Amino acid sequence: MSRQQPAVHVFTAWPAATSYLRQLLAERFSVTLHCTWVGKTRSGTVLSGKRSLLADTFINTGKMLWSRDLYRPETVLVCHTAHYSGLVVGRFLRLLRPSVRVYLFNFYIHGMGRRPFVRRILRWLFRQNLAIAVQSKVEYDYFRGLAPLADVRYIPFGQNGPKEIAPHQITPGDYIFSGGYTNRDYGLLIECARQLQHLRFVIACSRLNRIPPHVPDNVEIMRDIEFTQFHTLLAGSRLVVVPLLDDVGAAGQMVALAAMKFRKTVIYPNFDVLSQYFTDNESGIEYEAGNLGSLNRAITSSYDDMDRLSRIGAEAHLQWKQGFTKECFDTAIARHIISFVEGETSVDTGFV
């Protein structure tokens, strides 16, 4: 009797973001798309933080449990979003179908994962047939510690970046750009700007980011700007700084990769979540995280050297194009899912 073909169920709040991945998986498996709830009420109110996470988990868990298709043999839950729901439902389904598998990617915990209570919950949820794609060595070590039997694989995040920016908008402007929300050390960058009064800084961040009460005149703070405006500012900058606060896993990649696409020189901290994309002084400029003098030197040594900025930016673009596009990322994710579902192993599942 032949084995039933695995049925892969992809859960995402953004179907377009998984279209190529689903295309790759459909060459081997039966693939079904499920749209998940993303923290917006019927009245249009957007939830955030813990409220959003709890509501997301509760609603999506109910939707998954109500889906008859998930109760069939050889079911694989691939979670691009609704990760906690997938884990809860996977634990339940394994009581009925031991062959059920759960695959997580785009799964970020950040500082919350340090809490003992959170770690205990995750250990319990991870006790199932599980694979996780991670994007840094810190994440790899973290998840391997909590789920030693899981198939954890390091796959650098990749993206194609914004399409709305025209070539003429990508210019070497007269300001240093920094932006993003998660795990940012804007206090260090602003203190650096205070020492470099002759340079102009633009910071595009969330209203939830903590900014020092006294900001020097050469720093412009822009809160909660929309996507295209954010990348227009990035495209028109001289330098891009991604100042991460802690080495706690995935953060800053989207800004760094967009800058690489735009041929910008990126100043990044010595955390592997970002350093994995660059070679210091060849395709980017590294500084010691949390070190004011190191960040100051990285900026002042490059800001006025247009030939150097052009050379580094060109090499960054080449590195992005060859290894860090969304197609590269999706292809690596698809390969991992296929090996996980078909029971294969690989020496390539983590760091050597």
Side-chain angles (χ1 to χ4, degrees), residues 274-290:
L274 289 185
S275 65
Q276 63 186 323
Y277 296 113
F278 303 99
T279 299
D280 188 24
N281 289 315
E282 291 185 16
S283 55
I285 301 174
E286 185 175 280
Y287 76 94
E288 182 181 349

mmCIF file with all atom_site columns, all heavy atoms in Angstrom, residues 274-290:
data_model
loop_
_atom_site.group_PDB
_atom_site.id
_atom_site.type_symbol
_atom_site.label_atom_id
_atom_site.label_alt_id
_atom_site.label_comp_id
_atom_site.label_asym_id
_atom_site.label_entity_id
_atom_site.label_seq_id
_atom_site.pdbx_PDB_ins_code
_atom_site.Cartn_x
_atom_site.Cartn_y
_atom_site.Cartn_z
_atom_site.occupancy
_atom_site.B_iso_or_equiv
_atom_site.pdbx_formal_charge
_atom_site.auth_seq_id
_atom_site.auth_comp_id
_atom_site.auth_asym_id
_atom_site.auth_atom_id
_atom_site.pdbx_PDB_model_num
ATOM 1   N N   . LEU A 1 274 ? 23.390 40.677 11.780 1.00 0.00 ? 274 LEU A N   1
ATOM 2   C CA  . LEU A 1 274 ? 23.668 41.617 10.693 1.00 0.00 ? 274 LEU A CA  1
ATOM 3   C C   . LEU A 1 274 ? 25.036 41.385 10.054 1.00 0.00 ? 274 LEU A C   1
ATOM 4   O O   . LEU A 1 274 ? 25.182 41.518 8.833  1.00 0.00 ? 274 LEU A O   1
ATOM 5   C CB  . LEU A 1 274 ? 23.578 43.060 11.192 1.00 0.00 ? 274 LEU A CB  1
ATOM 6   C CG  . LEU A 1 274 ? 22.172 43.572 11.517 1.00 0.00 ? 274 LEU A CG  1
ATOM 7   C CD1 . LEU A 1 274 ? 22.209 45.044 11.883 1.00 0.00 ? 274 LEU A CD1 1
ATOM 8   C CD2 . LEU A 1 274 ? 21.216 43.354 10.346 1.00 0.00 ? 274 LEU A CD2 1
ATOM 9   N N   . SER A 1 275 ? 26.030 41.024 10.838 1.00 0.00 ? 275 SER A N   1
ATOM 10  C CA  . SER A 1 275 ? 27.375 40.851 10.270 1.00 0.00 ? 275 SER A CA  1
ATOM 11  C C   . SER A 1 275 ? 27.423 39.715 9.250  1.00 0.00 ? 275 SER A C   1
ATOM 12  O O   . SER A 1 275 ? 28.319 39.672 8.411  1.00 0.00 ? 275 SER A O   1
ATOM 13  C CB  . SER A 1 275 ? 28.395 40.608 11.392 1.00 0.00 ? 275 SER A CB  1
ATOM 14  O OG  . SER A 1 275 ? 28.136 39.393 12.071 1.00 0.00 ? 275 SER A OG  1
ATOM 15  N N   . GLN A 1 276 ? 26.437 38.789 9.313  1.00 0.00 ? 276 GLN A N   1
ATOM 16  C CA  . GLN A 1 276 ? 26.389 37.684 8.343  1.00 0.00 ? 276 GLN A CA  1
ATOM 17  C C   . GLN A 1 276 ? 26.208 38.179 6.901  1.00 0.00 ? 276 GLN A C   1
ATOM 18  O O   . GLN A 1 276 ? 26.531 37.473 5.952  1.00 0.00 ? 276 GLN A O   1
ATOM 19  C CB  . GLN A 1 276 ? 25.253 36.734 8.692  1.00 0.00 ? 276 GLN A CB  1
ATOM 20  C CG  . GLN A 1 276 ? 23.866 37.362 8.614  1.00 0.00 ? 276 GLN A CG  1
ATOM 21  C CD  . GLN A 1 276 ? 22.761 36.438 9.100  1.00 0.00 ? 276 GLN A CD  1
ATOM 22  O OE1 . GLN A 1 276 ? 22.811 35.242 8.870  1.00 0.00 ? 276 GLN A OE1 1
ATOM 23  N NE2 . GLN A 1 276 ? 21.775 36.993 9.776  1.00 0.00 ? 276 GLN A NE2 1
ATOM 24  N N   . TYR A 1 277 ? 25.700 39.400 6.748  1.00 0.00 ? 277 TYR A N   1
ATOM 25  C CA  . TYR A 1 277 ? 25.447 39.934 5.412  1.00 0.00 ? 277 TYR A CA  1
ATOM 26  C C   . TYR A 1 277 ? 26.648 40.681 4.816  1.00 0.00 ? 277 TYR A C   1
ATOM 27  O O   . TYR A 1 277 ? 26.645 40.973 3.622  1.00 0.00 ? 277 TYR A O   1
ATOM 28  C CB  . TYR A 1 277 ? 24.263 40.904 5.448  1.00 0.00 ? 277 TYR A CB  1
ATOM 29  C CG  . TYR A 1 277 ? 22.955 40.269 5.829  1.00 0.00 ? 277 TYR A CG  1
ATOM 30  C CD1 . TYR A 1 277 ? 22.318 40.578 7.021  1.00 0.00 ? 277 TYR A CD1 1
ATOM 31  C CD2 . TYR A 1 277 ? 22.345 39.340 4.989  1.00 0.00 ? 277 TYR A CD2 1
ATOM 32  C CE1 . TYR A 1 277 ? 21.104 39.996 7.373  1.00 0.00 ? 277 TYR A CE1 1
ATOM 33  C CE2 . TYR A 1 277 ? 21.137 38.751 5.326  1.00 0.00 ? 277 TYR A CE2 1
ATOM 34  C CZ  . TYR A 1 277 ? 20.521 39.079 6.518  1.00 0.00 ? 277 TYR A CZ  1
ATOM 35  O OH  . TYR A 1 277 ? 19.332 38.496 6.861  1.00 0.00 ? 277 TYR A OH  1
ATOM 36  N N   . PHE A 1 278 ? 27.626 41.001 5.646  1.00 0.00 ? 278 PHE A N   1
ATOM 37  C CA  . PHE A 1 278 ? 28.676 41.927 5.211  1.00 0.00 ? 278 PHE A CA  1
ATOM 38  C C   . PHE A 1 278 ? 30.077 41.366 5.458  1.00 0.00 ? 278 PHE A C   1
ATOM 39  O O   . PHE A 1 278 ? 30.277 40.501 6.305  1.00 0.00 ? 278 PHE A O   1
ATOM 40  C CB  . PHE A 1 278 ? 28.553 43.255 5.975  1.00 0.00 ? 278 PHE A CB  1
ATOM 41  C CG  . PHE A 1 278 ? 27.220 43.933 5.846  1.00 0.00 ? 278 PHE A CG  1
ATOM 42  C CD1 . PHE A 1 278 ? 26.267 43.813 6.850  1.00 0.00 ? 278 PHE A CD1 1
ATOM 43  C CD2 . PHE A 1 278 ? 26.906 44.671 4.721  1.00 0.00 ? 278 PHE A CD2 1
ATOM 44  C CE1 . PHE A 1 278 ? 25.027 44.433 6.742  1.00 0.00 ? 278 PHE A CE1 1
ATOM 45  C CE2 . PHE A 1 278 ? 25.672 45.299 4.599  1.00 0.00 ? 278 PHE A CE2 1
ATOM 46  C CZ  . PHE A 1 278 ? 24.732 45.185 5.613  1.00 0.00 ? 278 PHE A CZ  1
ATOM 47  N N   . THR A 1 279 ? 31.026 41.947 4.727  1.00 0.00 ? 279 THR A N   1
ATOM 48  C CA  . THR A 1 279 ? 32.441 41.818 5.041  1.00 0.00 ? 279 THR A CA  1
ATOM 49  C C   . THR A 1 279 ? 32.926 43.201 5.426  1.00 0.00 ? 279 THR A C   1
ATOM 50  O O   . THR A 1 279 ? 32.778 44.153 4.649  1.00 0.00 ? 279 THR A O   1
ATOM 51  C CB  . THR A 1 279 ? 33.240 41.284 3.836  1.00 0.00 ? 279 THR A CB  1
ATOM 52  O OG1 . THR A 1 279 ? 32.740 39.987 3.481  1.00 0.00 ? 279 THR A OG1 1
ATOM 53  C CG2 . THR A 1 279 ? 34.716 41.175 4.184  1.00 0.00 ? 279 THR A CG2 1
ATOM 54  N N   . ASP A 1 280 ? 33.478 43.327 6.626  1.00 0.00 ? 280 ASP A N   1
ATOM 55  C CA  . ASP A 1 280 ? 33.866 44.634 7.145  1.00 0.00 ? 280 ASP A CA  1
ATOM 56  C C   . ASP A 1 280 ? 34.843 45.340 6.206  1.00 0.00 ? 280 ASP A C   1
ATOM 57  O O   . ASP A 1 280 ? 35.822 44.757 5.739  1.00 0.00 ? 280 ASP A O   1
ATOM 58  C CB  . ASP A 1 280 ? 34.506 44.450 8.529  1.00 0.00 ? 280 ASP A CB  1
ATOM 59  C CG  . ASP A 1 280 ? 34.766 45.771 9.236  1.00 0.00 ? 280 ASP A CG  1
ATOM 60  O OD1 . ASP A 1 280 ? 34.079 46.765 8.915  1.00 0.00 ? 280 ASP A OD1 1
ATOM 61  O OD2 . ASP A 1 280 ? 35.658 45.804 10.112 1.00 0.00 ? 280 ASP A OD2 1
ATOM 62  N N   . ASN A 1 281 ? 34.524 46.608 5.909  1.00 0.00 ? 281 ASN A N   1
ATOM 63  C CA  . ASN A 1 281 ? 35.323 47.482 5.048  1.00 0.00 ? 281 ASN A CA  1
ATOM 64  C C   . ASN A 1 281 ? 35.319 47.064 3.578  1.00 0.00 ? 281 ASN A C   1
ATOM 65  O O   . ASN A 1 281 ? 36.028 47.663 2.771  1.00 0.00 ? 281 ASN A O   1
ATOM 66  C CB  . ASN A 1 281 ? 36.779 47.594 5.550  1.00 0.00 ? 281 ASN A CB  1
ATOM 67  C CG  . ASN A 1 281 ? 36.874 48.389 6.830  1.00 0.00 ? 281 ASN A CG  1
ATOM 68  O OD1 . ASN A 1 281 ? 36.263 49.454 6.949  1.00 0.00 ? 281 ASN A OD1 1
ATOM 69  N ND2 . ASN A 1 281 ? 37.626 47.875 7.798  1.00 0.00 ? 281 ASN A ND2 1
ATOM 70  N N   . GLU A 1 282 ? 34.519 46.049 3.237  1.00 0.00 ? 282 GLU A N   1
ATOM 71  C CA  . GLU A 1 282 ? 34.376 45.669 1.837  1.00 0.00 ? 282 GLU A CA  1
ATOM 72  C C   . GLU A 1 282 ? 32.942 45.869 1.354  1.00 0.00 ? 282 GLU A C   1
ATOM 73  O O   . GLU A 1 282 ? 32.709 46.468 0.313  1.00 0.00 ? 282 GLU A O   1
ATOM 74  C CB  . GLU A 1 282 ? 34.802 44.216 1.627  1.00 0.00 ? 282 GLU A CB  1
ATOM 75  C CG  . GLU A 1 282 ? 36.287 43.981 1.808  1.00 0.00 ? 282 GLU A CG  1
ATOM 76  C CD  . GLU A 1 282 ? 36.680 42.558 1.481  1.00 0.00 ? 282 GLU A CD  1
ATOM 77  O OE1 . GLU A 1 282 ? 35.875 41.838 0.838  1.00 0.00 ? 282 GLU A OE1 1
ATOM 78  O OE2 . GLU A 1 282 ? 37.787 42.153 1.877  1.00 0.00 ? 282 GLU A OE2 1
ATOM 79  N N   . SER A 1 283 ? 31.978 45.356 2.126  1.00 0.00 ? 283 SER A N   1
ATOM 80  C CA  . SER A 1 283 ? 30.568 45.543 1.745  1.00 0.00 ? 283 SER A CA  1
ATOM 81  C C   . SER A 1 283 ? 29.773 46.227 2.850  1.00 0.00 ? 283 SER A C   1
ATOM 82  O O   . SER A 1 283 ? 28.567 46.399 2.730  1.00 0.00 ? 283 SER A O   1
ATOM 83  C CB  . SER A 1 283 ? 29.930 44.191 1.398  1.00 0.00 ? 283 SER A CB  1
ATOM 84  O OG  . SER A 1 283 ? 30.083 43.278 2.465  1.00 0.00 ? 283 SER A OG  1
ATOM 85  N N   . GLY A 1 284 ? 30.426 46.628 3.921  1.00 0.00 ? 284 GLY A N   1
ATOM 86  C CA  . GLY A 1 284 ? 29.801 47.350 5.022  1.00 0.00 ? 284 GLY A CA  1
ATOM 87  C C   . GLY A 1 284 ? 30.872 47.785 6.004  1.00 0.00 ? 284 GLY A C   1
ATOM 88  O O   . GLY A 1 284 ? 32.063 47.494 5.808  1.00 0.00 ? 284 GLY A O   1
ATOM 89  N N   . ILE A 1 285 ? 30.458 48.486 7.048  1.00 0.00 ? 285 ILE A N   1
ATOM 90  C CA  . ILE A 1 285 ? 31.398 48.953 8.067  1.00 0.00 ? 285 ILE A CA  1
ATOM 91  C C   . ILE A 1 285 ? 30.871 48.533 9.433  1.00 0.00 ? 285 ILE A C   1
ATOM 92  O O   . ILE A 1 285 ? 29.754 48.894 9.818  1.00 0.00 ? 285 ILE A O   1
ATOM 93  C CB  . ILE A 1 285 ? 31.583 50.483 8.015  1.00 0.00 ? 285 ILE A CB  1
ATOM 94  C CG1 . ILE A 1 285 ? 32.110 50.903 6.642  1.00 0.00 ? 285 ILE A CG1 1
ATOM 95  C CG2 . ILE A 1 285 ? 32.529 50.948 9.119  1.00 0.00 ? 285 ILE A CG2 1
ATOM 96  C CD1 . ILE A 1 285 ? 32.197 52.405 6.451  1.00 0.00 ? 285 ILE A CD1 1
ATOM 97  N N   . GLU A 1 286 ? 31.661 47.777 10.143 1.00 0.00 ? 286 GLU A N   1
ATOM 98  C CA  . GLU A 1 286 ? 31.252 47.242 11.446 1.00 0.00 ? 286 GLU A CA  1
ATOM 99  C C   . GLU A 1 286 ? 31.722 48.148 12.583 1.00 0.00 ? 286 GLU A C   1
ATOM 100 O O   . GLU A 1 286 ? 32.795 48.741 12.517 1.00 0.00 ? 286 GLU A O   1
ATOM 101 C CB  . GLU A 1 286 ? 31.836 45.835 11.625 1.00 0.00 ? 286 GLU A CB  1
ATOM 102 C CG  . GLU A 1 286 ? 31.386 45.129 12.891 1.00 0.00 ? 286 GLU A CG  1
ATOM 103 C CD  . GLU A 1 286 ? 31.887 43.688 12.954 1.00 0.00 ? 286 GLU A CD  1
ATOM 104 O OE1 . GLU A 1 286 ? 31.270 42.819 12.307 1.00 0.00 ? 286 GLU A OE1 1
ATOM 105 O OE2 . GLU A 1 286 ? 32.915 43.450 13.635 1.00 0.00 ? 286 GLU A OE2 1
ATOM 106 N N   . TYR A 1 287 ? 30.879 48.250 13.631 1.00 0.00 ? 287 TYR A N   1
ATOM 107 C CA  . TYR A 1 287 ? 31.297 48.931 14.856 1.00 0.00 ? 287 TYR A CA  1
ATOM 108 C C   . TYR A 1 287 ? 30.999 48.020 16.042 1.00 0.00 ? 287 TYR A C   1
ATOM 109 O O   . TYR A 1 287 ? 30.212 47.071 15.934 1.00 0.00 ? 287 TYR A O   1
ATOM 110 C CB  . TYR A 1 287 ? 30.584 50.281 15.015 1.00 0.00 ? 287 TYR A CB  1
ATOM 111 C CG  . TYR A 1 287 ? 29.148 50.194 15.471 1.00 0.00 ? 287 TYR A CG  1
ATOM 112 C CD1 . TYR A 1 287 ? 28.811 50.296 16.823 1.00 0.00 ? 287 TYR A CD1 1
ATOM 113 C CD2 . TYR A 1 287 ? 28.103 50.017 14.556 1.00 0.00 ? 287 TYR A CD2 1
ATOM 114 C CE1 . TYR A 1 287 ? 27.485 50.222 17.251 1.00 0.00 ? 287 TYR A CE1 1
ATOM 115 C CE2 . TYR A 1 287 ? 26.781 49.934 14.973 1.00 0.00 ? 287 TYR A CE2 1
ATOM 116 C CZ  . TYR A 1 287 ? 26.477 50.033 16.317 1.00 0.00 ? 287 TYR A CZ  1
ATOM 117 O OH  . TYR A 1 287 ? 25.182 49.949 16.732 1.00 0.00 ? 287 TYR A OH  1
ATOM 118 N N   . GLU A 1 288 ? 31.659 48.293 17.148 1.00 0.00 ? 288 GLU A N   1
ATOM 119 C CA  . GLU A 1 288 ? 31.446 47.495 18.344 1.00 0.00 ? 288 GLU A CA  1
ATOM 120 C C   . GLU A 1 288 ? 30.151 47.936 19.019 1.00 0.00 ? 288 GLU A C   1
ATOM 121 O O   . GLU A 1 288 ? 30.004 49.105 19.400 1.00 0.00 ? 288 GLU A O   1
ATOM 122 C CB  . GLU A 1 288 ? 32.617 47.657 19.308 1.00 0.00 ? 288 GLU A CB  1
ATOM 123 C CG  . GLU A 1 288 ? 32.490 46.816 20.569 1.00 0.00 ? 288 GLU A CG  1
ATOM 124 C CD  . GLU A 1 288 ? 33.643 47.019 21.524 1.00 0.00 ? 288 GLU A CD  1
ATOM 125 O OE1 . GLU A 1 288 ? 34.648 47.658 21.129 1.00 0.00 ? 288 GLU A OE1 1
ATOM 126 O OE2 . GLU A 1 288 ? 33.530 46.553 22.676 1.00 0.00 ? 288 GLU A OE2 1
ATOM 127 N N   . ALA A 1 289 ? 29.206 47.022 19.143 1.00 0.00 ? 289 ALA A N   1
ATOM 128 C CA  . ALA A 1 289 ? 27.885 47.345 19.700 1.00 0.00 ? 289 ALA A CA  1
ATOM 129 C C   . ALA A 1 289 ? 28.013 48.005 21.069 1.00 0.00 ? 289 ALA A C   1
ATOM 130 O O   . ALA A 1 289 ? 28.778 47.557 21.921 1.00 0.00 ? 289 ALA A O   1
ATOM 131 C CB  . ALA A 1 289 ? 27.044 46.077 19.816 1.00 0.00 ? 289 ALA A CB  1
ATOM 132 N N   . GLY A 1 290 ? 27.267 49.100 21.234 1.00 0.00 ? 290 GLY A N   1
ATOM 133 C CA  . GLY A 1 290 ? 27.257 49.799 22.511 1.00 0.00 ? 290 GLY A CA  1
ATOM 134 C C   . GLY A 1 290 ? 28.444 50.705 22.751 1.00 0.00 ? 290 GLY A C   1
ATOM 135 O O   . GLY A 1 290 ? 28.494 51.406 23.772 1.00 0.00 ? 290 GLY A O   1
#
